[in-house]
């Protein structure tokens, strides 16, 4: 899922399918017996923290893992 950080407007832009996907993730967690429930803010913050630990890339760079 691609999330846009708009530095000109100071906003985070989520794709149309973000909330349905978040609902599905939360359902999987609940079905598995977990008390964890992602909010949009918590999920984006968690993913941002993970991404910040990686090398920053240009759009044309190839990702090698």
């Amino acid at each position: 899922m691609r999330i846009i950080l708009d530095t000109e407007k100071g906003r985070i832009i989520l794709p149309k399918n973000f909330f349905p996907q978040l609902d599905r993730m939360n359902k999987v967690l609940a079905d598995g017996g977990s008390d964890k429930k992602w909010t949009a803010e918590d999920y984006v913050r968690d993913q941002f923290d993970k991404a910040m630990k990686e090398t920053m890339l240009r759009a044309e760079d190839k990702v090698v893992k």
Side-chain angles (χ1 to χ4, degrees):
M1 176 178 348
R2 292 183 187 259
I3 297 170
I4 298 168
L5 174 61
D6 186 330
T7 58
E8 290 177 8
K9 294 181 180 177
R11 301 222 170 148
I12 294 173
I13 302 166
L14 304 172
K16 288 181 183 180
N17 67 341
F18 177 84
F19 288 98
Q21 278 189 301
L22 190 64
D23 289 342
R24 284 193 293 276
M25 286 189 288
N26 283 328
K27 184 177 182 331
V28 168
L29 289 171
D31 290 350
S34 176
D35 291 334
K36 173 75 175 164
K37 184 172 181 178
W38 288 109
T39 64
E41 293 81 6
D42 289 339
Y43 183 77
V44 170
R45 186 174 289 114
D46 179 74
Q47 296 305 306
F48 185 81
D49 289 345
K50 287 179 186 176
M52 287 300 296
K53 293 176 185 171
E54 299 293 328
T55 302
M56 293 200 188
L57 304 170
R58 294 176 298 249
E60 64 272 11
D61 290 344
K62 300 276 189 222
V63 177
V64 178
K65 272 211 167 198

